[in-house]
Amino acid sequence: MPLVLRALDLRKVYVTPSGMVEAVVDVSHAFTPGSVTAVVGPSGSGKSTLLNLLAGFDTPTAGEVWLDGDAVHTLSERERSSLRLRRFGFVFQSFNLVAVLTAEQNVALPMGLAGVPTTLRRRRVAHLLARFGLERRGDHLPHRLSGGERQRVALARALANDPDVVFADEPTGALDTTTGALVMDALADVAADGRTVILVTHDRTLAERADERLTLRDGRVVAARSQHVADFALETDS
Ligand SMILES: Nc1ncnc2c1ncn2[C@@H]1O[C@H](COP(=O)(O)OP(=O)(O)OP(=O)(O)O)[C@@H](O)[C@H]1O
Ligand SMILES: [Mg+2]
């Protein structure tokens, strides 16, 4: 059974020399395993901050993050890194891959950190690269891959330790529309495994293809809707 990620009254306030910034305000949401949830909203609305809180990169000012029975917000930094390594996968807009490592070595990296034995690691790397059509790109360094291929290697690496949740912050931000759509196909495929995929995107077309959509404005959720089950729609936005 996939684990369910939940945010409860989540709040993040940054104190800066020019005053307080309420980056995330009272966000409560349960993310559905087996679906892609698009987190959308204007620049500065708190999307990345929310992702960082959910993933345990950052600690909330108030509120809670639960991965099933694990209270992520109460874990130490060390416990959170261990949780991330085992349960979470990440894809970012750019600088995803280690430039001096080949595609294969990049995908193997999290498994090495988790102590996966070499034979198993090799088998899984081959399987993951093949899954994303990259079986002939294993020995390429990132600069010898196209943008879309790089993001697919990043996605293969995100799946290395069989995570429950995959976080993607603008994974198609540096790609053209067609290539971006392919990366979205791959994310949808990853959700079909039963995993939770949380996708931050500015791309309206991609957001419309997600199963659920969470809209933020000034750190608050202004709309949360399931796009495929009309009865679930909870639009509070006009
Ligand atoms: N480390 C920080 N210190 C102070 N303020 C911050 C910090 N990180 C983010 N903020 C502020 O918090 C708010 C939310 O930022 P966040 O990066 O979450 O927005 P976003 O929705 O991801 O924007 P974008 O679409 O541009 O990536 C912004 O006003 C931002 O300036
Ligand atoms: Mg952002």
Side-chain angles (χ1 to χ4, degrees), residues 10-11 50 83-84 124 150 170 204 209 219:
L10 211 51
R11 179 180 284 260
L50 175 62
L83 181 90
R84 277 197 297 272
R124 202 160 157 71
R150 254 176 255 160
E170 294 282 356
R204 197 175 261 279
R209 282 187 54 196

mmCIF file with all atom_site columns, all heavy atoms in Angstrom, residues 10-11 50 83-84 124 150 170 204 209 219:
data_model
loop_
_atom_site.group_PDB
_atom_site.id
_atom_site.type_symbol
_atom_site.label_atom_id
_atom_site.label_alt_id
_atom_site.label_comp_id
_atom_site.label_asym_id
_atom_site.label_entity_id
_atom_site.label_seq_id
_atom_site.pdbx_PDB_ins_code
_atom_site.Cartn_x
_atom_site.Cartn_y
_atom_site.Cartn_z
_atom_site.occupancy
_atom_site.B_iso_or_equiv
_atom_site.pdbx_formal_charge
_atom_site.auth_seq_id
_atom_site.auth_comp_id
_atom_site.auth_asym_id
_atom_site.auth_atom_id
_atom_site.pdbx_PDB_model_num
ATOM 1   N N   . LEU A 1 10  ? -0.540 23.876 7.485   1.00 0.00 ? 10  LEU A N   1
ATOM 2   C CA  . LEU A 1 10  ? 0.871  24.163 7.277   1.00 0.00 ? 10  LEU A CA  1
ATOM 3   C C   . LEU A 1 10  ? 1.095  25.662 7.066   1.00 0.00 ? 10  LEU A C   1
ATOM 4   O O   . LEU A 1 10  ? 0.350  26.319 6.330   1.00 0.00 ? 10  LEU A O   1
ATOM 5   C CB  . LEU A 1 10  ? 1.329  23.385 6.038   1.00 0.00 ? 10  LEU A CB  1
ATOM 6   C CG  . LEU A 1 10  ? 2.762  22.906 5.985   1.00 0.00 ? 10  LEU A CG  1
ATOM 7   C CD1 . LEU A 1 10  ? 3.137  22.137 7.248   1.00 0.00 ? 10  LEU A CD1 1
ATOM 8   C CD2 . LEU A 1 10  ? 2.928  22.008 4.768   1.00 0.00 ? 10  LEU A CD2 1
ATOM 9   N N   . ARG A 1 11  ? 2.137  26.179 7.716   1.00 0.00 ? 11  ARG A N   1
ATOM 10  C CA  . ARG A 1 11  ? 2.440  27.606 7.616   1.00 0.00 ? 11  ARG A CA  1
ATOM 11  C C   . ARG A 1 11  ? 3.950  27.801 7.597   1.00 0.00 ? 11  ARG A C   1
ATOM 12  O O   . ARG A 1 11  ? 4.676  27.132 8.342   1.00 0.00 ? 11  ARG A O   1
ATOM 13  C CB  . ARG A 1 11  ? 1.838  28.306 8.842   1.00 0.00 ? 11  ARG A CB  1
ATOM 14  C CG  . ARG A 1 11  ? 2.079  29.798 8.918   1.00 0.00 ? 11  ARG A CG  1
ATOM 15  C CD  . ARG A 1 11  ? 1.431  30.363 10.181  1.00 0.00 ? 11  ARG A CD  1
ATOM 16  N NE  . ARG A 1 11  ? -0.007 30.463 10.034  1.00 0.00 ? 11  ARG A NE  1
ATOM 17  C CZ  . ARG A 1 11  ? -0.640 31.607 9.731   1.00 0.00 ? 11  ARG A CZ  1
ATOM 18  N NH1 . ARG A 1 11  ? 0.041  32.723 9.566   1.00 0.00 ? 11  ARG A NH1 1
ATOM 19  N NH2 . ARG A 1 11  ? -1.942 31.639 9.612   1.00 0.00 ? 11  ARG A NH2 1
ATOM 20  N N   . LEU A 1 50  ? 5.993  25.236 -0.360  1.00 0.00 ? 50  LEU A N   1
ATOM 21  C CA  . LEU A 1 50  ? 5.125  24.130 0.045   1.00 0.00 ? 50  LEU A CA  1
ATOM 22  C C   . LEU A 1 50  ? 5.812  22.787 -0.251  1.00 0.00 ? 50  LEU A C   1
ATOM 23  O O   . LEU A 1 50  ? 5.831  21.883 0.596   1.00 0.00 ? 50  LEU A O   1
ATOM 24  C CB  . LEU A 1 50  ? 3.773  24.215 -0.686  1.00 0.00 ? 50  LEU A CB  1
ATOM 25  C CG  . LEU A 1 50  ? 2.810  23.054 -0.436  1.00 0.00 ? 50  LEU A CG  1
ATOM 26  C CD1 . LEU A 1 50  ? 2.425  22.971 1.047   1.00 0.00 ? 50  LEU A CD1 1
ATOM 27  C CD2 . LEU A 1 50  ? 1.545  23.187 -1.285  1.00 0.00 ? 50  LEU A CD2 1
ATOM 28  N N   . LEU A 1 83  ? 14.569 9.617  5.451   1.00 0.00 ? 83  LEU A N   1
ATOM 29  C CA  . LEU A 1 83  ? 13.223 9.454  4.904   1.00 0.00 ? 83  LEU A CA  1
ATOM 30  C C   . LEU A 1 83  ? 13.183 9.839  3.425   1.00 0.00 ? 83  LEU A C   1
ATOM 31  O O   . LEU A 1 83  ? 12.604 9.130  2.593   1.00 0.00 ? 83  LEU A O   1
ATOM 32  C CB  . LEU A 1 83  ? 12.236 10.326 5.694   1.00 0.00 ? 83  LEU A CB  1
ATOM 33  C CG  . LEU A 1 83  ? 10.782 10.255 5.253   1.00 0.00 ? 83  LEU A CG  1
ATOM 34  C CD1 . LEU A 1 83  ? 10.047 9.157  6.002   1.00 0.00 ? 83  LEU A CD1 1
ATOM 35  C CD2 . LEU A 1 83  ? 10.064 11.575 5.476   1.00 0.00 ? 83  LEU A CD2 1
ATOM 36  N N   . ARG A 1 84  ? 13.841 10.948 3.095   1.00 0.00 ? 84  ARG A N   1
ATOM 37  C CA  . ARG A 1 84  ? 13.875 11.394 1.697   1.00 0.00 ? 84  ARG A CA  1
ATOM 38  C C   . ARG A 1 84  ? 14.525 10.361 0.802   1.00 0.00 ? 84  ARG A C   1
ATOM 39  O O   . ARG A 1 84  ? 14.031 10.068 -0.279  1.00 0.00 ? 84  ARG A O   1
ATOM 40  C CB  . ARG A 1 84  ? 14.651 12.716 1.581   1.00 0.00 ? 84  ARG A CB  1
ATOM 41  C CG  . ARG A 1 84  ? 13.840 13.931 1.901   1.00 0.00 ? 84  ARG A CG  1
ATOM 42  C CD  . ARG A 1 84  ? 14.507 15.195 1.382   1.00 0.00 ? 84  ARG A CD  1
ATOM 43  N NE  . ARG A 1 84  ? 15.793 15.436 2.009   1.00 0.00 ? 84  ARG A NE  1
ATOM 44  C CZ  . ARG A 1 84  ? 15.950 16.122 3.147   1.00 0.00 ? 84  ARG A CZ  1
ATOM 45  N NH1 . ARG A 1 84  ? 14.901 16.635 3.751   1.00 0.00 ? 84  ARG A NH1 1
ATOM 46  N NH2 . ARG A 1 84  ? 17.144 16.301 3.656   1.00 0.00 ? 84  ARG A NH2 1
ATOM 47  N N   . ARG A 1 124 ? 18.605 -2.749 -11.650 1.00 0.00 ? 124 ARG A N   1
ATOM 48  C CA  . ARG A 1 124 ? 17.579 -1.732 -11.519 1.00 0.00 ? 124 ARG A CA  1
ATOM 49  C C   . ARG A 1 124 ? 17.865 -0.499 -12.392 1.00 0.00 ? 124 ARG A C   1
ATOM 50  O O   . ARG A 1 124 ? 16.958 0.084  -12.976 1.00 0.00 ? 124 ARG A O   1
ATOM 51  C CB  . ARG A 1 124 ? 17.448 -1.353 -10.043 1.00 0.00 ? 124 ARG A CB  1
ATOM 52  C CG  . ARG A 1 124 ? 16.133 -0.737 -9.745  1.00 0.00 ? 124 ARG A CG  1
ATOM 53  C CD  . ARG A 1 124 ? 15.701 -0.754 -8.313  1.00 0.00 ? 124 ARG A CD  1
ATOM 54  N NE  . ARG A 1 124 ? 14.726 0.337  -8.136  1.00 0.00 ? 124 ARG A NE  1
ATOM 55  C CZ  . ARG A 1 124 ? 13.501 0.320  -8.631  1.00 0.00 ? 124 ARG A CZ  1
ATOM 56  N NH1 . ARG A 1 124 ? 13.049 -0.728 -9.280  1.00 0.00 ? 124 ARG A NH1 1
ATOM 57  N NH2 . ARG A 1 124 ? 12.707 1.352  -8.457  1.00 0.00 ? 124 ARG A NH2 1
ATOM 58  N N   . ARG A 1 150 ? 17.542 14.320 -20.418 1.00 0.00 ? 150 ARG A N   1
ATOM 59  C CA  . ARG A 1 150 ? 18.073 14.628 -19.082 1.00 0.00 ? 150 ARG A CA  1
ATOM 60  C C   . ARG A 1 150 ? 16.972 14.524 -18.030 1.00 0.00 ? 150 ARG A C   1
ATOM 61  O O   . ARG A 1 150 ? 17.180 13.948 -16.964 1.00 0.00 ? 150 ARG A O   1
ATOM 62  C CB  . ARG A 1 150 ? 18.621 16.059 -19.072 1.00 0.00 ? 150 ARG A CB  1
ATOM 63  C CG  . ARG A 1 150 ? 20.137 16.102 -19.079 1.00 0.00 ? 150 ARG A CG  1
ATOM 64  C CD  . ARG A 1 150 ? 20.614 17.523 -19.158 1.00 0.00 ? 150 ARG A CD  1
ATOM 65  N NE  . ARG A 1 150 ? 21.101 17.783 -20.496 1.00 0.00 ? 150 ARG A NE  1
ATOM 66  C CZ  . ARG A 1 150 ? 21.253 18.988 -21.047 1.00 0.00 ? 150 ARG A CZ  1
ATOM 67  N NH1 . ARG A 1 150 ? 20.937 20.062 -20.365 1.00 0.00 ? 150 ARG A NH1 1
ATOM 68  N NH2 . ARG A 1 150 ? 21.704 19.098 -22.256 1.00 0.00 ? 150 ARG A NH2 1
ATOM 69  N N   . GLU A 1 170 ? 8.708  22.346 -11.521 1.00 0.00 ? 170 GLU A N   1
ATOM 70  C CA  . GLU A 1 170 ? 8.921  22.870 -12.875 1.00 0.00 ? 170 GLU A CA  1
ATOM 71  C C   . GLU A 1 170 ? 9.827  21.956 -13.712 1.00 0.00 ? 170 GLU A C   1
ATOM 72  O O   . GLU A 1 170 ? 10.783 22.439 -14.331 1.00 0.00 ? 170 GLU A O   1
ATOM 73  C CB  . GLU A 1 170 ? 9.548  24.268 -12.814 1.00 0.00 ? 170 GLU A CB  1
ATOM 74  C CG  . GLU A 1 170 ? 8.657  25.338 -12.223 1.00 0.00 ? 170 GLU A CG  1
ATOM 75  C CD  . GLU A 1 170 ? 7.596  25.833 -13.205 1.00 0.00 ? 170 GLU A CD  1
ATOM 76  O OE1 . GLU A 1 170 ? 7.605  25.388 -14.375 1.00 0.00 ? 170 GLU A OE1 1
ATOM 77  O OE2 . GLU A 1 170 ? 6.748  26.622 -12.785 1.00 0.00 ? 170 GLU A OE2 1
ATOM 78  N N   . ARG A 1 204 ? -0.098 25.644 -18.200 1.00 0.00 ? 204 ARG A N   1
ATOM 79  C CA  . ARG A 1 204 ? -1.527 25.407 -18.046 1.00 0.00 ? 204 ARG A CA  1
ATOM 80  C C   . ARG A 1 204 ? -1.954 24.062 -18.649 1.00 0.00 ? 204 ARG A C   1
ATOM 81  O O   . ARG A 1 204 ? -2.749 23.331 -18.061 1.00 0.00 ? 204 ARG A O   1
ATOM 82  C CB  . ARG A 1 204 ? -2.257 26.536 -18.782 1.00 0.00 ? 204 ARG A CB  1
ATOM 83  C CG  . ARG A 1 204 ? -3.683 26.720 -18.428 1.00 0.00 ? 204 ARG A CG  1
ATOM 84  C CD  . ARG A 1 204 ? -4.209 27.961 -19.148 1.00 0.00 ? 204 ARG A CD  1
ATOM 85  N NE  . ARG A 1 204 ? -4.221 29.114 -18.260 1.00 0.00 ? 204 ARG A NE  1
ATOM 86  C CZ  . ARG A 1 204 ? -5.193 29.326 -17.375 1.00 0.00 ? 204 ARG A CZ  1
ATOM 87  N NH1 . ARG A 1 204 ? -6.192 28.494 -17.267 1.00 0.00 ? 204 ARG A NH1 1
ATOM 88  N NH2 . ARG A 1 204 ? -5.173 30.381 -16.595 1.00 0.00 ? 204 ARG A NH2 1
ATOM 89  N N   . ARG A 1 209 ? -3.717 18.415 -17.483 1.00 0.00 ? 209 ARG A N   1
ATOM 90  C CA  . ARG A 1 209 ? -3.601 16.968 -17.652 1.00 0.00 ? 209 ARG A CA  1
ATOM 91  C C   . ARG A 1 209 ? -3.442 16.234 -16.317 1.00 0.00 ? 209 ARG A C   1
ATOM 92  O O   . ARG A 1 209 ? -3.541 15.011 -16.269 1.00 0.00 ? 209 ARG A O   1
ATOM 93  C CB  . ARG A 1 209 ? -2.398 16.644 -18.544 1.00 0.00 ? 209 ARG A CB  1
ATOM 94  C CG  . ARG A 1 209 ? -2.678 16.866 -20.020 1.00 0.00 ? 209 ARG A CG  1
ATOM 95  C CD  . ARG A 1 209 ? -1.525 16.368 -20.842 1.00 0.00 ? 209 ARG A CD  1
ATOM 96  N NE  . ARG A 1 209 ? -1.190 14.980 -20.529 1.00 0.00 ? 209 ARG A NE  1
ATOM 97  C CZ  . ARG A 1 209 ? -0.055 14.382 -20.873 1.00 0.00 ? 209 ARG A CZ  1
ATOM 98  N NH1 . ARG A 1 209 ? 0.859  15.045 -21.530 1.00 0.00 ? 209 ARG A NH1 1
ATOM 99  N NH2 . ARG A 1 209 ? 0.159  13.124 -20.573 1.00 0.00 ? 209 ARG A NH2 1
ATOM 100 N N   . GLY A 1 219 ? 0.260  32.182 -0.766  1.00 0.00 ? 219 GLY A N   1
ATOM 101 C CA  . GLY A 1 219 ? 0.527  31.128 0.216   1.00 0.00 ? 219 GLY A CA  1
ATOM 102 C C   . GLY A 1 219 ? -0.683 30.312 0.623   1.00 0.00 ? 219 GLY A C   1
ATOM 103 O O   . GLY A 1 219 ? -0.545 29.309 1.317   1.00 0.00 ? 219 GLY A O   1
#
